Amino acid sequence: MEIFMWWLDLHLDSKEWLRENLRAEELPLQVLQHIAEAGGPHPDNLSGGLTAADWDFIETQSEFVD
């Protein structure tokens, strides 16, 4: 599922972590769980982390207040 489909439902703490750690190669378990709970990929499917397009989306969204 595309990130814009689940980003709005993502836990605020995880959004902040992703914005502060742009393009991190490894994501904390809690962030992975929040992504899955919001409707994003399951942690087992995020073995390589988020895609470059996902990170681009996160970077552009960091300009907005949720």
Side-chain angles (χ1 to χ4, degrees):
M1 181 182 297
E2 297 291 325
I3 189 170
F4 65 87
M5 303 277 292
W6 53 263
W7 179 257
L8 291 176
D9 295 325
L10 186 61
H11 194 276
L12 186 58
D13 290 344
S14 291
K15 286 182 183 180
E16 290 175 1
W17 190 92
L18 290 167
R19 289 171 173 153
E20 292 170 3
N21 298 278
L22 276 176
R23 308 200 190 281
E25 293 189 22
E26 292 186 28
L27 305 178
L29 182 58
Q30 183 175 0
V31 173
L32 292 172
Q33 290 173 334
H34 286 162
I35 289 171
E37 290 169 5
H42 189 271
D44 293 341
N45 297 332
L46 278 172
S47 57
L50 298 172
T51 67
D54 293 337
W55 286 116
D56 290 344
F57 179 88
I58 293 166
E59 187 171 11
T60 60
Q61 291 302 307
S62 67
E63 299 171 7
F64 303 105
V65 175
D66 292 313

